[in-house]
Coordinates of all heavy atoms in Angstrom, one line a residue:
M1 N -109.1 -8.7 -25.9 CA -109.7 -9.9 -26.5 C -110.2 -10.8 -25.4 O -109.5 -11.2 -24.4 CB -108.6 -10.7 -27.2 CG -109.1 -11.7 -28.3 SD -107.8 -12.6 -29.0 CE -107.4 -11.6 -30.4
N2 N -111.5 -11.3 -25.5 CA -112.0 -12.3 -24.4 C -111.5 -13.6 -24.7 O -110.9 -13.9 -25.7 CB -113.5 -12.1 -24.3 CG -114.3 -12.7 -25.5 OD1 -113.7 -13.7 -26.1 ND2 -115.4 -12.1 -25.9
S3 N -111.8 -14.5 -23.8 CA -111.1 -15.9 -23.8 C -111.7 -16.7 -24.9 O -111.0 -17.5 -25.5 CB -111.2 -16.5 -22.5 OG -112.5 -16.7 -22.1
T4 N -112.9 -16.5 -25.3 CA -113.5 -17.2 -26.4 C -112.8 -16.9 -27.7 O -112.4 -17.8 -28.5 CB -115.0 -17.0 -26.5 OG1 -115.6 -17.2 -25.3 CG2 -115.6 -18.0 -27.5
K5 N -112.6 -15.6 -27.9 CA -112.0 -15.2 -29.1 C -110.6 -15.7 -29.2 O -110.0 -16.1 -30.2 CB -112.0 -13.7 -29.3 CG -113.3 -13.1 -29.8 CD -113.2 -11.6 -30.0 CE -114.6 -11.1 -30.5 NZ -114.6 -9.6 -30.2
L6 N -109.9 -15.6 -28.0 CA -108.5 -16.1 -27.9 C -108.4 -17.6 -28.3 O -107.6 -18.1 -29.1 CB -108.0 -15.9 -26.5 CG -106.5 -16.2 -26.4 CD1 -105.6 -15.3 -27.3 CD2 -106.1 -16.1 -24.9
L7 N -109.4 -18.3 -27.8 CA -109.4 -19.8 -28.1 C -109.6 -20.0 -29.6 O -108.9 -20.8 -30.2 CB -110.5 -20.5 -27.3 CG -110.6 -22.0 -27.5 CD1 -109.4 -22.7 -26.9 CD2 -111.9 -22.5 -26.7
I8 N -110.5 -19.3 -30.2 CA -110.8 -19.5 -31.6 C -109.5 -19.1 -32.4 O -109.1 -19.8 -33.3 CB -112.0 -18.6 -32.0 CG1 -113.3 -19.2 -31.5 CG2 -112.1 -18.6 -33.5 CD1 -114.5 -18.3 -31.6
A9 N -109.0 -18.0 -32.1 CA -107.7 -17.6 -32.7 C -106.6 -18.6 -32.7 O -105.9 -18.9 -33.6 CB -107.2 -16.2 -32.2
T10 N -106.4 -19.1 -31.4 CA -105.3 -20.2 -31.2 C -105.6 -21.4 -32.0 O -104.7 -22.0 -32.7 CB -105.3 -20.5 -29.7 OG1 -105.2 -19.4 -29.0 CG2 -104.1 -21.4 -29.4
T11 N -106.9 -21.9 -32.0 CA -107.2 -23.1 -32.8 C -107.0 -22.8 -34.2 O -106.4 -23.7 -34.9 CB -108.7 -23.4 -32.5 OG1 -109.0 -23.4 -31.1 CG2 -109.1 -24.8 -33.1
M12 N -107.4 -21.7 -34.8 CA -107.2 -21.5 -36.2 C -105.7 -21.4 -36.5 O -105.3 -22.0 -37.6 CB -107.8 -20.2 -36.6 CG -109.3 -20.2 -36.7 SD -110.1 -18.7 -37.0 CE -109.6 -18.4 -38.7
G13 N -104.9 -20.9 -35.6 CA -103.5 -20.8 -35.9 C -102.9 -22.2 -35.9 O -102.0 -22.4 -36.8
L14 N -103.3 -23.0 -35.1 CA -102.8 -24.4 -35.0 C -103.2 -25.1 -36.3 O -102.3 -25.9 -36.8 CB -103.4 -25.2 -33.8 CG -102.6 -25.0 -32.5 CD1 -103.3 -25.7 -31.4 CD2 -101.1 -25.5 -32.6
C15 N -104.4 -25.0 -36.7 CA -104.8 -25.6 -38.0 C -104.0 -25.2 -39.2 O -103.8 -26.0 -40.1 CB -106.3 -25.3 -38.2 SG -107.4 -26.1 -37.1
L16 N -103.6 -24.0 -39.2 CA -102.7 -23.6 -40.3 C -101.4 -24.0 -40.2 O -100.7 -24.4 -41.2 CB -102.7 -22.0 -40.4 CG -104.1 -21.4 -40.7 CD1 -104.0 -19.9 -40.6 CD2 -104.5 -21.7 -42.2
A17 N -100.8 -24.1 -39.0 CA -99.4 -24.4 -38.8 C -99.1 -25.9 -38.8 O -98.1 -26.3 -39.4 CB -98.9 -23.9 -37.4
L18 N -100.1 -26.7 -38.3 CA -99.8 -28.2 -38.2 C -99.5 -28.9 -39.6 O -98.5 -29.7 -39.7 CB -100.9 -28.9 -37.5 CG -100.7 -28.7 -36.0 CD1 -102.0 -29.3 -35.2 CD2 -99.4 -29.2 -35.4
P19 N -100.4 -28.7 -40.6 CA -100.0 -29.4 -41.9 C -98.7 -29.1 -42.4 O -97.9 -30.0 -42.9 CB -101.1 -28.9 -42.8 CG -102.2 -28.4 -42.0 CD -101.5 -27.9 -40.8
A20 N -98.2 -27.8 -42.3 CA -96.9 -27.5 -42.7 C -95.9 -28.2 -42.0 O -94.8 -28.8 -42.6 CB -96.6 -26.0 -42.6
L21 N -95.9 -28.4 -40.7 CA -95.0 -29.1 -39.9 C -95.0 -30.6 -40.3 O -93.9 -31.1 -40.5 CB -95.3 -29.0 -38.4 CG -95.0 -27.6 -37.8 CD1 -95.5 -27.6 -36.3 CD2 -93.6 -27.3 -37.9
S22 N -96.1 -31.3 -40.3 CA -96.2 -32.7 -40.6 C -95.6 -32.9 -42.0 O -95.0 -33.9 -42.3 CB -97.5 -33.2 -40.3 OG -98.5 -32.6 -41.1
F23 N -95.9 -32.0 -42.9 CA -95.4 -32.2 -44.3 C -93.9 -32.3 -44.3 O -93.3 -33.2 -44.8 CB -96.0 -31.0 -45.1 CG -95.5 -31.1 -46.5 CD1 -96.2 -31.9 -47.4 CD2 -94.4 -30.4 -47.0 CE1 -95.8 -31.9 -48.8 CE2 -94.0 -30.4 -48.4 CZ -94.8 -31.2 -49.2
A24 N -93.3 -31.4 -43.6 CA -91.7 -31.4 -43.6 C -91.3 -32.6 -43.0 O -90.3 -33.3 -43.4 CB -91.2 -30.1 -42.9
A25 N -91.9 -33.1 -41.8 CA -91.5 -34.2 -41.1 C -91.6 -35.5 -41.9 O -90.7 -36.3 -41.9 CB -92.2 -34.3 -39.8
D26 N -92.6 -35.6 -42.7 CA -92.9 -36.9 -43.4 C -91.8 -37.0 -44.5 O -91.3 -38.1 -44.7 CB -94.2 -36.7 -44.2 CG -95.3 -37.0 -43.3 OD1 -95.2 -37.5 -42.2 OD2 -96.5 -36.8 -43.7
G27 N -91.4 -35.9 -45.1 CA -90.4 -36.1 -46.2 C -89.1 -36.6 -45.6 O -88.4 -37.4 -46.2
A28 N -88.7 -35.9 -44.5 CA -87.5 -36.3 -43.9 C -87.5 -37.7 -43.4 O -86.6 -38.5 -43.5 CB -87.1 -35.3 -42.7
A29 N -88.7 -38.2 -42.8 CA -88.8 -39.5 -42.2 C -88.8 -40.5 -43.3 O -88.1 -41.6 -43.2 CB -90.0 -39.5 -41.4
T30 N -89.5 -40.2 -44.4 CA -89.5 -41.1 -45.5 C -88.1 -41.3 -46.1 O -87.7 -42.4 -46.4 CB -90.5 -40.7 -46.6 OG1 -91.8 -40.5 -46.0 CG2 -90.6 -41.7 -47.7
Y31 N -87.4 -40.2 -46.2 CA -86.1 -40.2 -46.8 C -85.2 -41.1 -45.9 O -84.4 -42.0 -46.5 CB -85.4 -38.8 -46.9 CG -84.1 -38.9 -47.4 CD1 -83.9 -38.9 -48.8 CD2 -83.0 -39.0 -46.6 CE1 -82.6 -39.0 -49.4 CE2 -81.7 -39.1 -47.1 CZ -81.5 -39.1 -48.6 OH -80.2 -39.4 -49.1
K32 N -85.2 -40.9 -44.6 CA -84.4 -41.7 -43.7 C -84.7 -43.2 -43.9 O -83.9 -44.1 -43.8 CB -84.5 -41.2 -42.3 CG -83.8 -40.0 -42.1 CD -83.5 -39.6 -40.6 CE -82.6 -38.4 -40.5 NZ -82.9 -37.3 -41.3
A33 N -86.0 -43.5 -43.9 CA -86.4 -44.9 -43.9 C -86.2 -45.6 -45.3 O -85.9 -46.8 -45.3 CB -88.0 -45.0 -43.6
K34 N -86.3 -44.8 -46.4 CA -86.3 -45.5 -47.7 C -85.2 -45.1 -48.6 O -85.0 -45.8 -49.7 CB -87.6 -45.1 -48.5 CG -88.8 -45.3 -47.6 CD -89.8 -46.4 -48.2 CE -91.0 -46.6 -47.4 NZ -91.7 -47.8 -47.7
C35 N -84.4 -44.1 -48.3 CA -83.5 -43.7 -49.3 C -82.0 -43.5 -48.7 O -81.0 -43.6 -49.4 CB -83.8 -42.2 -49.8 SG -85.6 -42.0 -50.1
A36 N -82.0 -43.2 -47.3 CA -80.7 -42.9 -46.7 C -79.7 -44.0 -46.8 O -78.5 -43.8 -46.9 CB -80.9 -42.5 -45.3
M37 N -80.2 -45.3 -46.8 CA -79.2 -46.4 -46.8 C -78.4 -46.4 -48.0 O -77.2 -46.9 -48.1 CB -79.9 -47.7 -46.5 CG -81.0 -48.2 -47.6 SD -82.5 -47.2 -47.6 CE -83.6 -48.5 -47.4
C38 N -78.9 -45.9 -49.2 CA -78.1 -45.8 -50.5 C -77.6 -44.4 -50.7 O -76.5 -44.3 -51.2 CB -79.0 -46.3 -51.5 SG -79.5 -48.0 -51.5
H39 N -78.3 -43.4 -50.3 CA -77.9 -42.0 -50.7 C -77.3 -41.2 -49.6 O -77.0 -40.0 -49.8 CB -79.0 -41.3 -51.4 CG -79.6 -41.9 -52.7 ND1 -78.8 -41.8 -53.8 CD2 -80.7 -42.6 -53.0 CE1 -79.5 -42.4 -54.8 NE2 -80.6 -42.9 -54.3
G40 N -77.1 -41.8 -48.4 CA -76.6 -41.1 -47.3 C -77.6 -40.3 -46.5 O -78.6 -39.8 -46.9
A41 N -77.3 -40.2 -45.2 CA -78.2 -39.6 -44.2 C -78.5 -38.2 -44.6 O -79.7 -37.7 -44.4 CB -77.7 -39.7 -42.8
E42 N -77.6 -37.5 -45.1 CA -77.8 -36.1 -45.5 C -77.9 -35.9 -47.0 O -77.7 -34.8 -47.5 CB -76.7 -35.2 -44.9 CG -76.4 -35.4 -43.5 CD -77.5 -34.9 -42.6 OE1 -78.1 -33.9 -43.0 OE2 -77.7 -35.5 -41.5
G43 N -78.1 -36.9 -47.7 CA -78.1 -36.8 -49.3 C -76.7 -36.6 -49.8 O -76.7 -36.2 -51.0
Q44 N -75.7 -36.9 -49.0 CA -74.4 -36.6 -49.5 C -73.8 -37.7 -50.4 O -72.7 -37.6 -50.9 CB -73.5 -36.4 -48.3 CG -72.9 -37.6 -47.6 CD -74.0 -38.2 -46.5 OE1 -75.1 -37.9 -46.6 NE2 -73.5 -38.9 -45.6
G45 N -74.7 -38.8 -50.5 CA -74.1 -39.9 -51.3 C -73.5 -40.9 -50.3 O -72.9 -40.6 -49.3
K46 N -73.7 -42.2 -50.7 CA -73.0 -43.2 -49.8 C -72.6 -44.3 -50.8 O -71.5 -44.1 -51.5 CB -74.1 -43.8 -48.9 CG -73.5 -44.5 -47.7 CD -74.7 -44.9 -46.7 CE -74.2 -45.9 -45.8 NZ -75.4 -46.4 -44.9
V47 N -73.3 -45.4 -50.9 CA -72.9 -46.3 -52.0 C -73.4 -45.8 -53.3 O -72.9 -46.3 -54.4 CB -73.4 -47.9 -51.7 CG1 -72.7 -48.4 -50.6 CG2 -74.9 -47.7 -51.4
D48 N -74.4 -44.9 -53.3 CA -75.1 -44.5 -54.5 C -75.0 -42.9 -54.6 O -74.5 -42.3 -53.7 CB -76.4 -45.0 -54.6 CG -76.4 -46.5 -54.8 OD1 -75.6 -47.0 -55.6 OD2 -77.1 -47.3 -54.1
P49 N -75.4 -42.4 -55.8 CA -75.1 -40.9 -56.0 C -75.7 -39.9 -54.9 O -76.6 -40.2 -54.4 CB -75.7 -40.6 -57.3 CG -76.2 -41.9 -57.9 CD -76.1 -42.9 -56.8
A50 N -74.9 -38.9 -54.7 CA -75.4 -37.9 -53.8 C -76.6 -37.2 -54.5 O -76.7 -37.0 -55.7 CB -74.3 -36.8 -53.7
L51 N -77.6 -36.8 -53.6 CA -78.9 -36.2 -54.1 C -78.8 -34.7 -53.7 O -79.5 -33.9 -54.3 CB -80.0 -36.8 -53.5 CG -80.2 -38.3 -53.9 CD1 -81.4 -38.9 -53.2 CD2 -80.3 -38.5 -55.4
K52 N -78.0 -34.4 -52.6 CA -77.9 -32.9 -52.2 C -77.4 -32.1 -53.4 O -76.4 -32.5 -54.1 CB -76.9 -32.9 -51.1 CG -76.9 -31.5 -50.4 CD -76.1 -31.3 -49.2 CE -75.2 -32.4 -48.7 NZ -74.7 -32.1 -47.3
G53 N -78.1 -31.0 -53.7 CA -77.7 -30.2 -54.8 C -77.9 -30.7 -56.2 O -77.4 -30.2 -57.1
T54 N -78.8 -31.7 -56.3 CA -79.1 -32.3 -57.6 C -79.7 -31.3 -58.5 O -80.4 -30.3 -58.1 CB -80.1 -33.5 -57.5 OG1 -80.4 -34.0 -58.7 CG2 -81.4 -33.0 -56.8
S55 N -79.4 -31.4 -59.8 CA -80.0 -30.5 -60.8 C -81.3 -30.9 -61.3 O -82.1 -30.3 -62.0 CB -79.0 -30.5 -62.0 OG -78.9 -31.8 -62.5
L56 N -81.8 -32.1 -60.8 CA -83.2 -32.6 -61.1 C -84.1 -31.7 -60.3 O -83.9 -31.3 -59.2 CB -83.4 -34.0 -60.7 CG -82.5 -35.1 -61.3 CD1 -82.7 -36.4 -60.7 CD2 -82.8 -35.1 -62.8
S57 N -85.3 -31.4 -61.0 CA -86.4 -30.6 -60.2 C -87.1 -31.6 -59.4 O -87.1 -32.9 -59.5 CB -87.3 -30.1 -61.3 OG -88.1 -31.2 -61.9
A58 N -88.0 -31.1 -58.4 CA -88.7 -31.9 -57.6 C -89.6 -32.8 -58.4 O -89.9 -34.0 -58.0 CB -89.6 -31.0 -56.6
D59 N -90.2 -32.3 -59.5 CA -91.1 -33.1 -60.4 C -90.3 -34.2 -61.0 O -90.8 -35.4 -61.1 CB -91.7 -32.3 -61.4 CG -92.9 -31.4 -61.0 OD1 -93.3 -31.6 -59.7 OD2 -93.3 -30.5 -61.7
Q60 N -89.1 -34.0 -61.4 CA -88.2 -35.1 -62.0 C -88.0 -36.1 -61.0 O -87.9 -37.3 -61.3 CB -87.0 -34.5 -62.6 CG -87.3 -33.7 -63.9 CD -86.1 -33.0 -64.4 OE1 -85.3 -32.3 -63.7 NE2 -85.8 -33.0 -65.7
I61 N -87.6 -35.7 -59.7 CA -87.3 -36.7 -58.7 C -88.6 -37.6 -58.5 O -88.5 -38.8 -58.4 CB -86.8 -36.0 -57.4 CG1 -85.6 -35.3 -57.6 CG2 -86.7 -37.0 -56.3 CD1 -85.2 -34.4 -56.5
M62 N -89.7 -36.9 -58.3 CA -90.9 -37.7 -58.1 C -91.2 -38.7 -59.3 O -91.5 -39.8 -59.0 CB -92.1 -36.7 -58.1 CG -92.5 -36.2 -56.8 SD -94.0 -35.2 -56.9 CE -95.2 -36.4 -57.1
A63 N -91.0 -38.3 -60.6 CA -91.2 -39.2 -61.6 C -90.3 -40.3 -61.6 O -90.7 -41.5 -61.8 CB -91.0 -38.4 -63.0
L64 N -89.0 -40.0 -61.2 CA -88.0 -41.1 -61.1 C -88.4 -42.1 -60.0 O -88.2 -43.3 -60.3 CB -86.7 -40.5 -60.7 CG -85.5 -41.4 -60.8 CD1 -85.1 -41.8 -62.2 CD2 -84.3 -40.7 -60.1
I65 N -88.9 -41.7 -59.0 CA -89.2 -42.6 -57.9 C -90.6 -43.2 -57.9 O -90.9 -44.2 -57.2 CB -88.9 -42.1 -56.5 CG1 -89.6 -40.9 -56.1 CG2 -87.3 -41.8 -56.3 CD1 -89.4 -40.2 -54.8
T66 N -91.5 -42.6 -58.6 CA -92.8 -43.2 -58.6 C -93.1 -44.0 -59.9 O -93.9 -45.0 -59.8 CB -94.0 -42.1 -58.5 OG1 -93.7 -41.1 -59.4 CG2 -93.9 -41.5 -57.0
T67 N -92.7 -43.5 -61.0 CA -92.9 -44.3 -62.2 C -91.8 -45.3 -62.6 O -91.9 -46.2 -63.4 CB -93.2 -43.4 -63.5 OG1 -92.0 -42.7 -63.7 CG2 -94.3 -42.5 -63.2
G68 N -90.6 -45.0 -61.9 CA -89.5 -45.9 -62.2 C -88.8 -45.6 -63.5 O -89.4 -44.8 -64.3
D69 N -87.7 -46.1 -63.8 CA -86.9 -45.8 -65.0 C -86.2 -47.1 -65.3 O -85.2 -47.4 -64.5 CB -86.1 -44.6 -64.9 CG -85.3 -44.3 -66.1 OD1 -85.2 -45.1 -66.9 OD2 -84.8 -43.2 -66.2
D70 N -86.5 -47.7 -66.4 CA -85.9 -49.0 -66.7 C -84.4 -48.9 -67.0 O -83.6 -49.9 -67.1 CB -86.6 -49.8 -67.8 CG -87.9 -50.4 -67.3 OD1 -88.0 -50.6 -66.1 OD2 -88.8 -50.7 -68.1
S71 N -84.0 -47.7 -67.4 CA -82.6 -47.5 -67.7 C -81.7 -47.4 -66.4 O -80.5 -47.5 -66.4 CB -82.3 -46.2 -68.5 OG -82.5 -45.1 -67.6
K72 N -82.4 -47.3 -65.3 CA -81.6 -47.2 -64.0 C -81.5 -48.6 -63.4 O -82.2 -49.6 -63.7 CB -82.4 -46.3 -63.0 CG -82.7 -44.9 -63.5 CD -81.4 -44.1 -63.6 CE -81.7 -42.6 -64.0 NZ -80.4 -42.0 -64.4
K73 N -80.6 -48.6 -62.4 CA -80.4 -49.9 -61.7 C -81.6 -50.2 -60.9 O -82.5 -49.4 -60.6 CB -79.2 -49.7 -60.7 CG -77.9 -49.6 -61.6 CD -76.8 -49.2 -60.7 CE -75.5 -48.9 -61.5 NZ -74.4 -48.3 -60.7
P74 N -81.7 -51.5 -60.4 CA -82.9 -52.0 -59.7 C -83.7 -51.1 -58.8 O -85.0 -51.1 -58.8 CB -82.4 -53.3 -59.0 CG -81.3 -53.8 -59.9 CD -80.6 -52.5 -60.4
P75 N -83.1 -50.4 -57.9 CA -83.8 -49.6 -56.9 C -85.0 -48.7 -57.6 O -86.0 -48.5 -57.0 CB -82.8 -48.7 -56.2 CG -81.5 -49.3 -56.5 CD -81.6 -50.2 -57.7
H76 N -84.7 -48.2 -58.8 CA -85.6 -47.3 -59.3 C -86.4 -47.9 -60.5 O -87.1 -47.2 -61.2 CB -85.0 -46.0 -59.7 CG -84.4 -45.4 -58.5 ND1 -83.0 -45.2 -58.4 CD2 -84.9 -44.9 -57.4 CE1 -82.7 -44.7 -57.3 NE2 -83.8 -44.4 -56.6
K77 N -86.3 -49.1 -60.7 CA -87.0 -49.8 -61.8 C -88.5 -49.8 -61.4 O -89.4 -49.7 -62.3 CB -86.6 -51.3 -62.0 CG -85.6 -51.5 -63.0 CD -85.3 -52.9 -63.3 CE -84.3 -53.0 -64.5 NZ -84.0 -54.4 -64.7
K78 N -88.8 -50.0 -60.2 CA -90.2 -49.9 -59.7 C -90.3 -48.8 -58.7 O -89.3 -48.4 -58.2 CB -90.6 -51.3 -59.0 CG -90.6 -52.4 -60.0 CD -91.2 -53.7 -59.4 CE -91.1 -54.8 -60.3 NZ -90.3 -55.8 -59.7
P79 N -91.5 -48.4 -58.4 CA -91.7 -47.4 -57.4 C -90.9 -47.8 -56.1 O -91.0 -49.0 -55.7 CB -93.2 -47.4 -57.1 CG -93.8 -47.8 -58.4 CD -92.8 -48.7 -59.0
V80 N -90.1 -46.9 -55.6 CA -89.3 -47.4 -54.4 C -90.2 -47.7 -53.3 O -90.8 -47.0 -52.7 CB -88.4 -46.2 -54.1 CG1 -87.5 -46.6 -52.9 CG2 -87.5 -45.8 -55.2
N81 N -90.1 -49.0 -53.0 CA -90.9 -49.6 -51.8 C -92.3 -49.0 -51.7 O -92.7 -48.8 -50.5 CB -90.0 -49.3 -50.5 CG -88.7 -49.8 -50.5 OD1 -88.5 -50.9 -51.2 ND2 -87.7 -49.2 -50.0
G82 N -92.9 -48.9 -52.7 CA -94.4 -48.5 -52.7 C -94.7 -47.2 -52.1 O -95.6 -47.0 -51.3
L83 N -93.9 -46.2 -52.5 CA -94.2 -44.8 -51.9 C -95.5 -44.3 -52.6 O -95.8 -44.5 -53.8 CB -93.1 -43.9 -52.4 CG -91.8 -43.9 -51.7 CD1 -90.9 -42.8 -52.3 CD2 -92.1 -43.6 -50.2
S84 N -96.3 -43.7 -51.8 CA -97.5 -43.1 -52.3 C -97.1 -41.7 -53.0 O -96.0 -41.2 -52.7 CB -98.5 -42.8 -51.1 OG -98.0 -41.7 -50.4
P85 N -98.0 -41.2 -53.8 CA -97.7 -39.9 -54.5 C -97.3 -38.8 -53.4 O -96.5 -38.0 -53.6 CB -98.9 -39.6 -55.2 CG -99.5 -40.9 -55.5 CD -99.2 -41.8 -54.4
D86 N -98.1 -38.8 -52.3 CA -97.9 -37.8 -51.2 C -96.5 -38.0 -50.6 O -95.8 -37.0 -50.4 CB -98.9 -37.9 -50.2 CG -100.3 -37.2 -50.6 OD1 -100.3 -36.6 -51.7 OD2 -101.2 -37.3 -49.8
D87 N -96.1 -39.2 -50.3 CA -94.8 -39.4 -49.8 C -93.7 -39.1 -50.8 O -92.7 -38.5 -50.5 CB -94.6 -40.9 -49.4 CG -95.4 -41.3 -48.2 OD1 -95.7 -40.3 -47.4 OD2 -95.6 -42.5 -47.9
A88 N -93.9 -39.3 -52.1 CA -92.9 -39.1 -53.1 C -92.7 -37.6 -53.2 O -91.6 -37.1 -53.3 CB -93.4 -39.7 -54.4
K89 N -93.8 -36.8 -53.2 CA -93.7 -35.4 -53.3 C -93.0 -34.8 -52.1 O -92.2 -34.0 -52.2 CB -95.1 -34.8 -53.3 CG -95.3 -33.3 -53.1 CD -95.3 -32.6 -54.5 CE -95.6 -31.1 -54.4 NZ -94.3 -30.4 -54.1
A90 N -93.3 -35.4 -50.9 CA -92.6 -34.9 -49.6 C -91.1 -35.2 -49.7 O -90.4 -34.3 -49.3 CB -93.2 -35.6 -48.4
V91 N -90.8 -36.4 -50.2 CA -89.4 -36.8 -50.2 C -88.7 -35.9 -51.2 O -87.6 -35.4 -51.0 CB -89.2 -38.3 -50.6 CG1 -87.8 -38.6 -51.0 CG2 -89.6 -39.1 -49.5
A92 N -89.3 -35.6 -52.4 CA -88.7 -34.8 -53.5 C -88.5 -33.4 -52.9 O -87.4 -32.8 -53.1 CB -89.6 -34.8 -54.7
D93 N -89.4 -32.8 -52.2 CA -89.3 -31.5 -51.6 C -88.2 -31.5 -50.6 O -87.5 -30.6 -50.5 CB -90.6 -31.0 -51.1 CG -91.6 -30.6 -52.2 OD1 -91.2 -30.4 -53.3 OD2 -92.8 -30.5 -51.8
Y94 N -88.2 -32.6 -49.8 CA -87.1 -32.7 -48.8 C -85.7 -32.7 -49.5 O -84.7 -32.0 -49.0 CB -87.3 -34.0 -48.0 CG -86.1 -34.2 -47.0 CD1 -86.0 -33.4 -45.8 CD2 -85.2 -35.3 -47.3 CE1 -85.0 -33.7 -45.0 CE2 -84.2 -35.5 -46.3 CZ -84.1 -34.7 -45.2 OH -83.0 -34.8 -44.4
I95 N -85.6 -33.4 -50.5 CA -84.2 -33.5 -51.2 C -83.9 -32.1 -51.7 O -82.7 -31.7 -51.6 CB -84.3 -34.5 -52.3 CG1 -84.3 -35.9 -51.7 CG2 -83.1 -34.4 -53.3 CD1 -84.6 -37.0 -52.7
K96 N -84.8 -31.4 -52.3 CA -84.7 -30.1 -52.8 C -84.3 -29.1 -51.7 O -83.6 -28.1 -51.9 CB -85.8 -29.5 -53.6 CG -86.1 -30.3 -54.9 CD -84.8 -30.4 -55.9 CE -84.6 -29.0 -56.5 NZ -83.4 -29.2 -57.6
S97 N -84.7 -29.4 -50.5 CA -84.4 -28.5 -49.4 C -83.0 -28.8 -48.8 O -82.6 -28.0 -47.9 CB -85.5 -28.7 -48.2 OG -85.2 -29.9 -47.5
L98 N -82.4 -29.8 -49.1 CA -81.0 -30.1 -48.5 C -80.0 -29.1 -49.2 O -80.0 -29.0 -50.4 CB -80.6 -31.6 -49.0 CG -81.4 -32.7 -48.3 CD1 -81.0 -34.0 -48.9 CD2 -81.2 -32.7 -46.8
K99 N -79.2 -28.6 -48.3 CA -78.2 -27.7 -48.8 C -76.8 -28.1 -48.5 O -76.5 -28.7 -47.5 CB -78.4 -26.3 -48.1 CG -79.7 -25.6 -48.4 CD -79.6 -24.8 -49.6 CE -80.9 -24.6 -50.4 NZ -82.1 -24.3 -49.5
Ligands
LIG115 C1 -80.9 -49.7 -53.0 C2 -80.3 -48.4 -53.1 C3 -81.2 -47.2 -53.4 C4 -82.3 -46.8 -52.7 C5 -83.0 -47.4 -51.6 C6 -82.7 -45.6 -53.3 N1 -81.8 -45.3 -54.3 FE1 -81.9 -43.6 -55.5 N2 -80.4 -44.2 -56.7 C7 -79.7 -45.5 -56.5 C8 -78.7 -45.7 -57.5 C9 -77.9 -46.9 -57.7 C10 -78.9 -44.6 -58.3 C11 -78.1 -44.3 -59.6 C12 -78.9 -45.0 -60.8 C13 -78.2 -44.8 -62.0 O1 -77.8 -43.8 -62.4 O2 -78.1 -45.8 -62.8 C14 -79.8 -43.7 -57.8 C15 -80.3 -42.5 -58.4 C16 -81.2 -41.6 -57.8 C17 -81.6 -40.3 -58.3 C18 -81.0 -39.7 -59.5 C19 -79.8 -38.9 -59.1 C20 -79.2 -38.2 -60.3 O3 -78.8 -37.0 -60.1 O4 -79.3 -38.6 -61.4 C21 -82.5 -39.8 -57.5 C22 -83.3 -38.5 -57.6 C23 -82.8 -40.9 -56.5 N3 -82.0 -42.0 -56.7 C24 -83.7 -40.7 -55.5 C25 -84.0 -41.7 -54.5 C26 -85.0 -41.5 -53.5 C27 -85.9 -40.3 -53.3 C28 -85.0 -42.6 -52.8 C29 -85.9 -43.0 -51.6 C30 -87.4 -42.9 -51.9 C31 -84.0 -43.5 -53.4 N4 -83.5 -42.9 -54.3 C32 -83.8 -44.8 -52.9 C33 -80.0 -46.4 -55.4 C34 -80.9 -46.2 -54.5

């Protein structure tokens, strides 16, 4: 392989790999910033319920934190601290990834 082809191959590889990496990082970072103080650093529960191993689907978690639920206590009455749909999806996937 000549160096031009190698450069092209490397660049394409990075383009494929980077979105996946930043996606995972965002969910974890958003969780730590917006959820961990109540639900625990590892989703194990703190002052509020554990999320690790929740029976809720990622879609249900997203709905809960983006549309809110008036039957719940204040934190989830409104979108949690203005999460965007992308952040909410990343956080929901992060929670589902906790083992
Ligand atoms: C200020 C504290 C607080 C913060 C911040 C908070 N939560 Fe919660 N969360 C609660 C409380 C309290 C409940 C239980 C509500 C109830 O059942 O009445 C809950 C329940 C939940 C549930 C439902 C759990 C179940 O099994 O029924 C999910 C999912 C959830 N929170 C996700 C999140 C996510 C994701 C974030 C961050 C974006 C977050 N929460 C931030 C306090 C908080």
